[in-house]
Each structure stands twice: as structure tokens, then as C-alpha cells.
Amino acid sequence: MRIDAYNQINQVYGVGKTKKTGNAGNAGNVNTTDQVSFSSIGRDMQIAKSALANVPDVRQDKVDALKSAIQNGTYQVSNESFAEKLVSAYTDRTL
């Protein structure tokens, strides 16, 4: 049995060695601070997001005007416009 070959393999792979990284007692005294920084694109996105948060999702004045026009019978739709949208919806769907 060759024990010296086993010792050589241990030396190659570093088995059994311990590395000292420093005094563990001083680890609590280290002052480190975390910092976060945003790119200009990130800042612009935050500004846009906060601006959109103040805008309502539904323009209620437009909805109310359309509802009253439909109920009164005064809402008019162009036949040409309706036909164009119907044909384009049909052609987009079949392609």
C-alpha cells in the first residue's frame, strides 16, 4: 500500500488545507453601505410611470357623451366608415 501517492493527490486537490481569511472578531466593526443608482432611462421611466398614475383609465366625460347620444338616438355612424372597418376586420381575421 502506497500512502505517499494518496498524500500527493491530497496536495493536488488541496484536501485538508484550511485558508484563514482574517480575524473573525473584527467582522462586526466593518462599515459597509449599500448603494443603488438608476440610469437616466430608469429615471425617465419612473417619471412617466408617476405621471400615468395620475391619469384616469377611462375618460368618463367621453363615455357619458356617447351614452347620452345613443340613448337620445342622435349618435350617427358613417356607413362608409362602418363598411371599411367591417371589411378590414374580416380580412385581418382570415389572413
Side-chain angles (χ1 to χ4, degrees):
M1 178 176 194
R2 289 186 53 194
I3 297 175
D4 58 338
Y6 180 74
N7 288 336
Q8 290 174 352
I9 292 173
N10 282 343
Q11 289 174 353
V12 169
Y13 289 108
V15 176
K17 292 183 181 178
T18 58
K19 296 180 182 178
K20 293 186 179 181
T21 58
N23 190 357
N26 292 335
N29 296 335
V30 176
N31 292 330
T32 59
T33 57
D34 293 334
Q35 294 181 347
V36 176
S37 62
F38 294 102
S39 66
S40 62
I41 294 172
R43 278 184 248 130
D44 292 343
M45 288 178 67
Q46 281 298 106
I47 291 169
K49 186 176 177 182
S50 64
L52 286 175
N54 297 330
V55 176
D57 291 336
V58 177
R59 296 185 345 193
Q60 195 61 40
D61 56 338
K62 289 251 184 195
V63 172
D64 292 339
L66 286 171
K67 277 185 180 180
S68 65
I70 291 170
Q71 288 174 353
N72 296 336
T74 58
Y75 182 72
Q76 297 295 321
V77 178
S78 167
N79 292 336
E80 293 88 20
S81 173
F82 176 75
E84 287 175 8
K85 289 183 182 181
L86 184 65
V87 169
S88 67
Y90 179 74
T91 57
D92 290 344
R93 187 175 176 193
T94 57
L95 295 177

